[in-house]
C-alpha cells in the first residue's frame, strides 16, 4: 500500500495532510492494519504536526458489511494509542451507511489537533457559524444530517457505465487563529477499460473526471457561504494520457489486434518489437496493462512520464500543486510482501494528489531557515 503525505507550515502551525485508498486495507486487517499504524505513527513522530488531516477512500474495503468490525477496531486503536496521546481533540467522519446506494461514498475523514494548538474552530454549515473544537467525536452512518460537514455523492449519470458508484466528496471548514480554510476529501471516477482509455487523447474517462472535479470546485466557492482558501486531497484517479504513453513506450513496435469471435469487438492489443525476435513489449486488455519493463515507472520517480500527466492542466487557473517527488502511486501490488511492485492491471499513474487553491498556496509559509526543505512538497508514503 502507499499513500501521499504533505507536511507544510500553514497558518503559523505545522499542518500535515495524508491520504490513502483503503480498498484492500480491511481485506487483510491483521497484517496490513498493524503495519499501516506503525508507519503512520512514525510519520506523526517525524513531523510532529499541530493539525493533522487524514483523508481515506474506500474506507471499509470492497466488502464493507463484512469489514464493519475491523473498521470499529481501527478507529478505536487510532484514537486511543499512546502515539496519539498529545492530540486531545479529534473529529472523525465515516460514511458507513452502505445500505443507501443513493448516498454512500465510503469516505472517511480524520482530523487530529495537538494539545498545544489553541483557538481552533470548525464551521457549522447549517447554523453558518464557527464552533470551538473540544474533545473527541466520531460521526458515522447518516452524515447527511451532520451540520459540521457537507457530503455529496456524484449523480449516477456522471458515470453511467457503473451500476453503483461510491464516488463523491466530503467538505469540512476550519479556522485557526483567524485563518479559515476548507478541507475536501474526494474520490473521482476510475478508468473502466484500458482499451477505451487508449482510443482517444484525452480519454473519455478524463472528461468524466474533469466534469466531476469542476462540480466540486464550483460547489465549494458558490454563494451559500463565505469564500475561503481550500485544500482538496484524495483519490482523483488521474491517469496518464494512455494513448500518448503507449505510442511513446511502443514507438518502434508493431501492433496486433485480437477480436472476439462472436462480436468482433477488440479484446486485446499486443505490441511487439519490430526486430529482436519480435519480443512482446506490451499487452493491453480491458483490465490488463502488462509492460515488459516496470523500471520506467520507478526510475527517477517516474519523472520521464510526468509529461503525460495532463488532467490537472485544465484547472491550472483554479488549483495549485506542489512538486511531485514520488513515483506513480497506483496500482501497487495487493500482495503485502511486494508493496513496491506494480500490478499489471493499469498503467501506473499519480492518482493520489494533494491540491490547493491559489489563495491556499499563499497561506503556506516556507521558512528559509527550515533545516528540512524537502518536507515541503508531496511525498509517497509506503506501507509494506
Amino acid at each position: 500500500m502507499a499513500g501521499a503525505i504533505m507536511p507544510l507550515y500553514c497558518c503559523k502551525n505545522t499542518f500535515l495532510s495524508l491520504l490513502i485508498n483503503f480498498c484492500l486495507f480491511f481485506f487483510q486487517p491483521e497484517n496490513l492494519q498493524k503495519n499501516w499504524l506503525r508507519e503512520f505513527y512514525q510519520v506523526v513522530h517525524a513531523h510532529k504536526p499541530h493539525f493533522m488531516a487524514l483523508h481515506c477512500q474506500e474506507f471499509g474495503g470492497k466488502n464493507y458489511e463484512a469489514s464493519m468490525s475491523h473498521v470499529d477496531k481501527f478507529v478505536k486503536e487510532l484514537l486511543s494509542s499512546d502515539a496519539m496521546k498529545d492530540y486531545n481533540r479529534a473529529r472523525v467522519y465515516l460514511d458507513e451507511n452502505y445500505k443507501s446506494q443513493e448516498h454512500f461514498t465510503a469516505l472517511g475523514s480524520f482530523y487530529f489537533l495537538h494539545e498545544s494548538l489553541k483557538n481552533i474552530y470548525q464551521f457549522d454549515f447549517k447554523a453558518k457559524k464557527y464552533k470551538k473544537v473540544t474533545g473527541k467525536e466520531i460521526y458515522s452512518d447518516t452524515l447527511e444530517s451532520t451540520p459540521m460537514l457537507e457530503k455529496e455523492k456524484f449523480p449516477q449519470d456522471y458515470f453511467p457505465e457503473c451500476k453503483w458508484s461510491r464516488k463523491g466528496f466530503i467538505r469540512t471548514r476550519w479556522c485557526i487563529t483567524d485563518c479559515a480554510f476548507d478541507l475536501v476529501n474526494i474520490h473521482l471516477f476510475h478508468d473502466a477499460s484500458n482499451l477505451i482509455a487508449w482510443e482517444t487523447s484525452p480519454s473519455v474517462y478524463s472528461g468524466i473526471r474533469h466534469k466531476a472535479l469542476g462540480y466540486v470546485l464550483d460547489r465549494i466557492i458558490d454563494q451559500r457561504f463565505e469564500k475561503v482558501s481550500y485544500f482538496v486531497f484524495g483519490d482523483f484517479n488521474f491517469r496518464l494520457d494512455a494513448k500518448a504513453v503507449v505510442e511513446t513506450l511502443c514507438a518502434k513496435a508493431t501492433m496486433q489486434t485480437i477480436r472476439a469471435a462472436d462480436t468482433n469487438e477488440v479484446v486485446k492489443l499486443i505490441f511487439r518489437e519490430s526486430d529482436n525476435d519480435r519480443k512482446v513489449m506490451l499487452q493491453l486488455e480491458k483490465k490488463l496493462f502488462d509492460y515488459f519493463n516496470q523500471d520506467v515507472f520507478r526510475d527517477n520517480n517516474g519523472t520521464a512520464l510526468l509529461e503525460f500527466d495532463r488532467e490537472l492542466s485544465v484547472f491550472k487557473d483554479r488549483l495549485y500543486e506542489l512538486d511531485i517527488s514520488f513515483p506513480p502511486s497506483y496500482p501497487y501490488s495487493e500482495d503485502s510482501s511486494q508493496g513496491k511492485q506494480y500490478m499489471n492491471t493499469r498503467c501506473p499513474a499519480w492518482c493520489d494528489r494533494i491540491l490547493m487553491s491559489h489563495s491556499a498556496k499563499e497561506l503556506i509559509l516556507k521558512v528559509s531557515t527550515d533545516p528540512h526543505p524537502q518536507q515541503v512538497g508531496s511525498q509517497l508514503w509506503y506501507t509494506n
Side-chain angles (χ1 to χ4, degrees), residues 274-306:
S274 301
D275 48 19
N276 194 24
D277 296 328
R278 293 184 53 78
K279 176 183 176 181
V280 174
M281 299 181 66
L282 172 67
Q283 296 183 75
L284 200 65
E285 297 178 9
K286 180 178 180 179
K287 295 184 178 181
L288 176 72
F289 187 95
D290 189 4
Y291 188 63
F292 79 104
N293 180 19
Q294 280 198 3
D295 288 342
V296 69
F297 302 107
R298 288 188 290 261
D299 289 348
N300 195 26
N301 288 328
T303 303
L305 297 171
L306 276 173

mmCIF file of all heavy atoms in Angstrom, residues 274-306:
data_model
loop_
_atom_site.group_PDB
_atom_site.id
_atom_site.type_symbol
_atom_site.label_atom_id
_atom_site.label_comp_id
_atom_site.label_asym_id
_atom_site.label_seq_id
_atom_site.Cartn_x
_atom_site.Cartn_y
_atom_site.Cartn_z
ATOM 1 N N SER A 274 9.831 -4.641 -33.548
ATOM 2 C CA SER A 274 9.940 -4.957 -34.977
ATOM 3 C C SER A 274 11.047 -5.968 -35.245
ATOM 4 O O SER A 274 10.975 -6.764 -36.183
ATOM 5 C CB SER A 274 10.176 -3.677 -35.784
ATOM 6 O OG SER A 274 9.115 -2.767 -35.586
ATOM 7 N N ASP A 275 12.091 -5.917 -34.416
ATOM 8 C CA ASP A 275 13.171 -6.905 -34.533
ATOM 9 C C ASP A 275 13.294 -7.626 -33.195
ATOM 10 O O ASP A 275 12.304 -7.796 -32.484
ATOM 11 C CB ASP A 275 14.485 -6.227 -34.931
ATOM 12 C CG ASP A 275 14.782 -4.992 -34.084
ATOM 13 O OD1 ASP A 275 14.193 -4.868 -32.985
ATOM 14 O OD2 ASP A 275 15.607 -4.165 -34.512
ATOM 15 N N ASN A 276 14.490 -8.042 -32.823
ATOM 16 C CA ASN A 276 14.718 -8.692 -31.524
ATOM 17 C C ASN A 276 13.742 -9.848 -31.310
ATOM 18 O O ASN A 276 13.145 -9.998 -30.241
ATOM 19 C CB ASN A 276 14.604 -7.680 -30.378
ATOM 20 C CG ASN A 276 15.148 -8.216 -29.059
ATOM 21 O OD1 ASN A 276 15.981 -9.117 -29.052
ATOM 22 N ND2 ASN A 276 14.663 -7.667 -27.962
ATOM 23 N N ASP A 277 13.578 -10.661 -32.390
ATOM 24 C CA ASP A 277 12.690 -11.827 -32.332
ATOM 25 C C ASP A 277 11.246 -11.450 -31.986
ATOM 26 O O ASP A 277 10.508 -12.243 -31.396
ATOM 27 C CB ASP A 277 13.212 -12.858 -31.321
ATOM 28 C CG ASP A 277 14.557 -13.433 -31.726
ATOM 29 O OD1 ASP A 277 14.795 -13.550 -32.946
ATOM 30 O OD2 ASP A 277 15.350 -13.748 -30.833
ATOM 31 N N ARG A 278 10.884 -10.212 -32.342
ATOM 32 C CA ARG A 278 9.506 -9.732 -32.121
ATOM 33 C C ARG A 278 9.068 -9.927 -30.667
ATOM 34 O O ARG A 278 7.982 -10.424 -30.350
ATOM 35 C CB ARG A 278 8.536 -10.428 -33.075
ATOM 36 C CG ARG A 278 8.780 -10.043 -34.533
ATOM 37 C CD ARG A 278 7.748 -10.651 -35.474
ATOM 38 N NE ARG A 278 6.372 -10.375 -35.103
ATOM 39 C CZ ARG A 278 5.754 -9.233 -35.315
ATOM 40 N NH1 ARG A 278 6.418 -8.216 -35.874
ATOM 41 N NH2 ARG A 278 4.489 -9.064 -34.981
ATOM 42 N N LYS A 279 9.928 -9.492 -29.776
ATOM 43 C CA LYS A 279 9.650 -9.571 -28.340
ATOM 44 C C LYS A 279 8.409 -8.764 -27.987
ATOM 45 O O LYS A 279 8.214 -7.647 -28.465
ATOM 46 C CB LYS A 279 10.851 -9.039 -27.557
ATOM 47 C CG LYS A 279 10.653 -8.971 -26.050
ATOM 48 C CD LYS A 279 11.882 -8.370 -25.393
ATOM 49 C CE LYS A 279 11.668 -8.197 -23.892
ATOM 50 N NZ LYS A 279 12.860 -7.587 -23.244
ATOM 51 N N VAL A 280 7.548 -9.328 -27.125
ATOM 52 C CA VAL A 280 6.339 -8.632 -26.691
ATOM 53 C C VAL A 280 6.714 -7.519 -25.709
ATOM 54 O O VAL A 280 7.340 -7.767 -24.674
ATOM 55 C CB VAL A 280 5.347 -9.602 -26.028
ATOM 56 C CG1 VAL A 280 4.160 -8.823 -25.452
ATOM 57 C CG2 VAL A 280 4.860 -10.623 -27.040
ATOM 58 N N MET A 281 6.344 -6.282 -26.039
ATOM 59 C CA MET A 281 6.623 -5.144 -25.176
ATOM 60 C C MET A 281 5.436 -4.822 -24.264
ATOM 61 O O MET A 281 5.616 -4.516 -23.084
ATOM 62 C CB MET A 281 6.956 -3.911 -26.020
ATOM 63 C CG MET A 281 8.170 -4.068 -26.910
ATOM 64 S SD MET A 281 8.509 -2.554 -27.840
ATOM 65 C CE MET A 281 8.967 -1.425 -26.512
ATOM 66 N N LEU A 282 4.239 -4.895 -24.828
ATOM 67 C CA LEU A 282 3.054 -4.510 -24.063
ATOM 68 C C LEU A 282 1.858 -5.334 -24.501
ATOM 69 O O LEU A 282 1.636 -5.541 -25.694
ATOM 70 C CB LEU A 282 2.744 -3.016 -24.266
ATOM 71 C CG LEU A 282 1.428 -2.484 -23.696
ATOM 72 C CD1 LEU A 282 1.447 -2.520 -22.170
ATOM 73 C CD2 LEU A 282 1.157 -1.061 -24.194
ATOM 74 N N GLN A 283 1.088 -5.787 -23.507
ATOM 75 C CA GLN A 283 -0.193 -6.432 -23.767
ATOM 76 C C GLN A 283 -1.270 -5.593 -23.089
ATOM 77 O O GLN A 283 -1.165 -5.258 -21.913
ATOM 78 C CB GLN A 283 -0.213 -7.857 -23.214
ATOM 79 C CG GLN A 283 0.797 -8.775 -23.878
ATOM 80 C CD GLN A 283 0.698 -10.187 -23.347
ATOM 81 O OE1 GLN A 283 -0.224 -10.936 -23.681
ATOM 82 N NE2 GLN A 283 1.655 -10.567 -22.503
ATOM 83 N N LEU A 284 -2.297 -5.283 -23.858
ATOM 84 C CA LEU A 284 -3.344 -4.389 -23.374
ATOM 85 C C LEU A 284 -4.703 -5.055 -23.507
ATOM 86 O O LEU A 284 -5.090 -5.483 -24.592
ATOM 87 C CB LEU A 284 -3.312 -3.087 -24.184
ATOM 88 C CG LEU A 284 -3.977 -1.842 -23.599
ATOM 89 C CD1 LEU A 284 -3.252 -1.385 -22.339
ATOM 90 C CD2 LEU A 284 -3.994 -0.717 -24.629
ATOM 91 N N GLU A 285 -5.417 -5.148 -22.377
ATOM 92 C CA GLU A 285 -6.790 -5.632 -22.358
ATOM 93 C C GLU A 285 -7.620 -4.681 -21.507
ATOM 94 O O GLU A 285 -7.097 -3.685 -20.987
ATOM 95 C CB GLU A 285 -6.865 -7.048 -21.786
ATOM 96 C CG GLU A 285 -6.130 -8.101 -22.597
ATOM 97 C CD GLU A 285 -6.205 -9.481 -21.958
ATOM 98 O OE1 GLU A 285 -6.967 -9.646 -20.979
ATOM 99 O OE2 GLU A 285 -5.474 -10.381 -22.418
ATOM 100 N N LYS A 286 -8.885 -4.994 -21.320
ATOM 101 C CA LYS A 286 -9.756 -4.128 -20.519
ATOM 102 C C LYS A 286 -9.145 -3.859 -19.158
ATOM 103 O O LYS A 286 -9.100 -2.712 -18.691
ATOM 104 C CB LYS A 286 -11.137 -4.767 -20.357
ATOM 105 C CG LYS A 286 -12.107 -3.922 -19.529
ATOM 106 C CD LYS A 286 -13.476 -4.580 -19.431
ATOM 107 C CE LYS A 286 -14.428 -3.711 -18.605
ATOM 108 N NZ LYS A 286 -15.786 -4.316 -18.503
ATOM 109 N N LYS A 287 -8.664 -4.900 -18.499
ATOM 110 C CA LYS A 287 -8.072 -4.748 -17.177
ATOM 111 C C LYS A 287 -6.659 -5.338 -17.136
ATOM 112 O O LYS A 287 -6.243 -5.918 -16.132
ATOM 113 C CB LYS A 287 -8.963 -5.391 -16.111
ATOM 114 C CG LYS A 287 -10.317 -4.701 -15.963
ATOM 115 C CD LYS A 287 -11.126 -5.304 -14.824
ATOM 116 C CE LYS A 287 -12.455 -4.566 -14.660
ATOM 117 N NZ LYS A 287 -13.251 -5.114 -13.531
ATOM 118 N N LEU A 288 -5.936 -5.169 -18.221
ATOM 119 C CA LEU A 288 -4.557 -5.631 -18.288
ATOM 120 C C LEU A 288 -3.694 -4.573 -18.950
ATOM 121 O O LEU A 288 -4.005 -4.098 -20.045
ATOM 122 C CB LEU A 288 -4.456 -6.939 -19.083
ATOM 123 C CG LEU A 288 -3.028 -7.473 -19.292
ATOM 124 C CD1 LEU A 288 -2.464 -8.017 -17.982
ATOM 125 C CD2 LEU A 288 -3.012 -8.563 -20.371
ATOM 126 N N PHE A 289 -2.621 -4.202 -18.260
ATOM 127 C CA PHE A 289 -1.605 -3.319 -18.826
ATOM 128 C C PHE A 289 -0.269 -3.941 -18.439
ATOM 129 O O PHE A 289 0.298 -3.663 -17.374
ATOM 130 C CB PHE A 289 -1.717 -1.901 -18.267
ATOM 131 C CG PHE A 289 -0.806 -0.903 -18.943
ATOM 132 C CD1 PHE A 289 -1.277 -0.105 -19.988
ATOM 133 C CD2 PHE A 289 0.518 -0.763 -18.553
ATOM 134 C CE1 PHE A 289 -0.424 0.812 -20.611
ATOM 135 C CE2 PHE A 289 1.362 0.139 -19.170
ATOM 136 C CZ PHE A 289 0.889 0.927 -20.201
ATOM 137 N N ASP A 290 0.221 -4.819 -19.276
ATOM 138 C CA ASP A 290 1.403 -5.620 -18.962
ATOM 139 C C ASP A 290 2.574 -5.148 -19.810
ATOM 140 O O ASP A 290 2.781 -5.600 -20.937
ATOM 141 C CB ASP A 290 1.105 -7.101 -19.215
ATOM 142 C CG ASP A 290 2.215 -8.001 -18.708
ATOM 143 O OD1 ASP A 290 3.171 -7.482 -18.106
ATOM 144 O OD2 ASP A 290 2.128 -9.226 -18.919
ATOM 145 N N TYR A 291 3.347 -4.205 -19.248
ATOM 146 C CA TYR A 291 4.530 -3.675 -19.933
ATOM 147 C C TYR A 291 5.760 -4.434 -19.449
ATOM 148 O O TYR A 291 5.893 -4.720 -18.256
ATOM 149 C CB TYR A 291 4.680 -2.179 -19.663
ATOM 150 C CG TYR A 291 5.760 -1.514 -20.485
ATOM 151 C CD1 TYR A 291 5.663 -1.468 -21.871
ATOM 152 C CD2 TYR A 291 6.880 -0.952 -19.878
ATOM 153 C CE1 TYR A 291 6.661 -0.863 -22.634
ATOM 154 C CE2 TYR A 291 7.872 -0.338 -20.632
ATOM 155 C CZ TYR A 291 7.761 -0.304 -22.020
ATOM 156 O OH TYR A 291 8.750 0.283 -22.774
ATOM 157 N N PHE A 292 6.661 -4.741 -20.356
ATOM 158 C CA PHE A 292 7.759 -5.660 -20.038
ATOM 159 C C PHE A 292 8.783 -5.091 -19.051
ATOM 160 O O PHE A 292 9.522 -5.846 -18.429
ATOM 161 C CB PHE A 292 8.467 -6.086 -21.333
ATOM 162 C CG PHE A 292 9.432 -5.055 -21.873
ATOM 163 C CD1 PHE A 292 10.795 -5.237 -21.714
ATOM 164 C CD2 PHE A 292 8.976 -3.923 -22.539
ATOM 165 C CE1 PHE A 292 11.694 -4.307 -22.214
ATOM 166 C CE2 PHE A 292 9.858 -2.992 -23.039
ATOM 167 C CZ PHE A 292 11.228 -3.176 -22.878
ATOM 168 N N ASN A 293 8.818 -3.769 -18.875
ATOM 169 C CA ASN A 293 9.840 -3.163 -18.024
ATOM 170 C C ASN A 293 9.226 -2.138 -17.079
ATOM 171 O O ASN A 293 9.037 -0.980 -17.444
ATOM 172 C CB ASN A 293 10.922 -2.511 -18.884
ATOM 173 C CG ASN A 293 12.015 -1.868 -18.051
ATOM 174 O OD1 ASN A 293 12.187 -2.190 -16.869
ATOM 175 N ND2 ASN A 293 12.760 -0.954 -18.657
ATOM 176 N N GLN A 294 8.934 -2.560 -15.850
ATOM 177 C CA GLN A 294 8.316 -1.658 -14.882
ATOM 178 C C GLN A 294 9.259 -0.564 -14.400
ATOM 179 O O GLN A 294 8.812 0.446 -13.843
ATOM 180 C CB GLN A 294 7.812 -2.446 -13.665
ATOM 181 C CG GLN A 294 6.494 -3.152 -13.857
ATOM 182 C CD GLN A 294 5.866 -3.536 -12.521
ATOM 183 O OE1 GLN A 294 6.379 -3.243 -11.452
ATOM 184 N NE2 GLN A 294 4.725 -4.196 -12.594
ATOM 185 N N ASP A 295 10.553 -0.740 -14.617
ATOM 186 C CA ASP A 295 11.520 0.237 -14.113
ATOM 187 C C ASP A 295 11.282 1.633 -14.678
ATOM 188 O O ASP A 295 11.627 2.635 -14.037
ATOM 189 C CB ASP A 295 12.951 -0.197 -14.441
ATOM 190 C CG ASP A 295 13.396 -1.383 -13.595
ATOM 191 O OD1 ASP A 295 12.760 -1.637 -12.551
ATOM 192 O OD2 ASP A 295 14.372 -2.058 -13.982
ATOM 193 N N VAL A 296 10.694 1.708 -15.852
ATOM 194 C CA VAL A 296 10.455 3.012 -16.467
ATOM 195 C C VAL A 296 9.519 3.858 -15.602
ATOM 196 O O VAL A 296 9.575 5.094 -15.628
ATOM 197 C CB VAL A 296 9.868 2.848 -17.895
ATOM 198 C CG1 VAL A 296 8.456 2.290 -17.848
ATOM 199 C CG2 VAL A 296 9.876 4.187 -18.629
ATOM 200 N N PHE A 297 8.680 3.205 -14.809
ATOM 201 C CA PHE A 297 7.744 3.937 -13.951
ATOM 202 C C PHE A 297 8.357 4.297 -12.598
ATOM 203 O O PHE A 297 7.799 5.117 -11.870
ATOM 204 C CB PHE A 297 6.483 3.099 -13.724
ATOM 205 C CG PHE A 297 5.780 2.722 -14.991
ATOM 206 C CD1 PHE A 297 5.829 1.420 -15.474
ATOM 207 C CD2 PHE A 297 5.082 3.667 -15.726
ATOM 208 C CE1 PHE A 297 5.188 1.069 -16.651
ATOM 209 C CE2 PHE A 297 4.439 3.324 -16.902
ATOM 210 C CZ PHE A 297 4.497 2.028 -17.376
ATOM 211 N N ARG A 298 9.501 3.684 -12.267
ATOM 212 C CA ARG A 298 10.123 3.928 -10.973
ATOM 213 C C ARG A 298 11.415 4.745 -11.069
ATOM 214 O O ARG A 298 11.758 5.463 -10.135
ATOM 215 C CB ARG A 298 10.428 2.590 -10.275
ATOM 216 C CG ARG A 298 9.194 1.867 -9.759
ATOM 217 C CD ARG A 298 9.603 0.665 -8.915
ATOM 218 N NE ARG A 298 10.196 -0.378 -9.746
ATOM 219 C CZ ARG A 298 9.528 -1.440 -10.180
ATOM 220 N NH1 ARG A 298 8.254 -1.588 -9.880
ATOM 221 N NH2 ARG A 298 10.132 -2.357 -10.929
ATOM 222 N N ASP A 299 12.132 4.622 -12.180
ATOM 223 C CA ASP A 299 13.403 5.330 -12.314
ATOM 224 C C ASP A 299 13.207 6.832 -12.163
ATOM 225 O O ASP A 299 12.346 7.440 -12.825
ATOM 226 C CB ASP A 299 14.041 5.025 -13.679
ATOM 227 C CG ASP A 299 14.559 3.601 -13.764
ATOM 228 O OD1 ASP A 299 14.638 2.936 -12.709
ATOM 229 O OD2 ASP A 299 14.866 3.154 -14.886
ATOM 230 N N ASN A 300 14.007 7.420 -11.283
ATOM 231 C CA ASN A 300 13.927 8.865 -11.049
ATOM 232 C C ASN A 300 12.500 9.297 -10.720
ATOM 233 O O ASN A 300 12.010 10.337 -11.161
ATOM 234 C CB ASN A 300 14.447 9.644 -12.263
ATOM 235 C CG ASN A 300 14.729 11.097 -11.941
ATOM 236 O OD1 ASN A 300 15.013 11.457 -10.798
ATOM 237 N ND2 ASN A 300 14.628 11.957 -12.946
ATOM 238 N N ASN A 301 11.807 8.433 -9.955
ATOM 239 C CA ASN A 301 10.416 8.679 -9.537
ATOM 240 C C ASN A 301 9.460 8.843 -10.719
ATOM 241 O O ASN A 301 8.427 9.524 -10.617
ATOM 242 C CB ASN A 301 10.322 9.915 -8.623
ATOM 243 C CG ASN A 301 10.893 9.649 -7.246
ATOM 244 O OD1 ASN A 301 10.821 8.533 -6.743
ATOM 245 N ND2 ASN A 301 11.461 10.668 -6.629
ATOM 246 N N GLY A 302 9.804 8.215 -11.839
ATOM 247 C CA GLY A 302 8.920 8.258 -12.998
ATOM 248 C C GLY A 302 8.845 9.612 -13.667
ATOM 249 O O GLY A 302 7.909 9.896 -14.425
ATOM 250 N N THR A 303 9.846 10.463 -13.407
ATOM 251 C CA THR A 303 9.823 11.841 -13.916
ATOM 252 C C THR A 303 9.624 11.914 -15.422
ATOM 253 O O THR A 303 8.948 12.823 -15.931
ATOM 254 C CB THR A 303 11.131 12.561 -13.534
ATOM 255 O OG1 THR A 303 11.297 12.515 -12.120
ATOM 256 C CG2 THR A 303 11.102 14.009 -13.989
ATOM 257 N N ALA A 304 10.173 10.962 -16.150
ATOM 258 C CA ALA A 304 10.061 10.987 -17.610
ATOM 259 C C ALA A 304 8.617 10.884 -18.080
ATOM 260 O O ALA A 304 8.298 11.261 -19.214
ATOM 261 C CB ALA A 304 10.890 9.850 -18.208
ATOM 262 N N LEU A 305 7.739 10.389 -17.223
ATOM 263 C CA LEU A 305 6.342 10.201 -17.612
ATOM 264 C C LEU A 305 5.440 11.351 -17.171
ATOM 265 O O LEU A 305 4.257 11.379 -17.518
ATOM 266 C CB LEU A 305 5.812 8.884 -17.026
ATOM 267 C CG LEU A 305 6.511 7.618 -17.536
ATOM 268 C CD1 LEU A 305 6.058 6.406 -16.733
ATOM 269 C CD2 LEU A 305 6.229 7.405 -19.015
ATOM 270 N N LEU A 306 5.984 12.289 -16.415
ATOM 271 C CA LEU A 306 5.158 13.397 -15.928
ATOM 272 C C LEU A 306 4.579 14.229 -17.071
ATOM 273 O O LEU A 306 3.536 14.873 -16.904
ATOM 274 C CB LEU A 306 5.979 14.296 -14.998
ATOM 275 C CG LEU A 306 6.073 13.834 -13.536
ATOM 276 C CD1 LEU A 306 7.053 14.709 -12.774
ATOM 277 C CD2 LEU A 306 4.705 13.863 -12.877
#
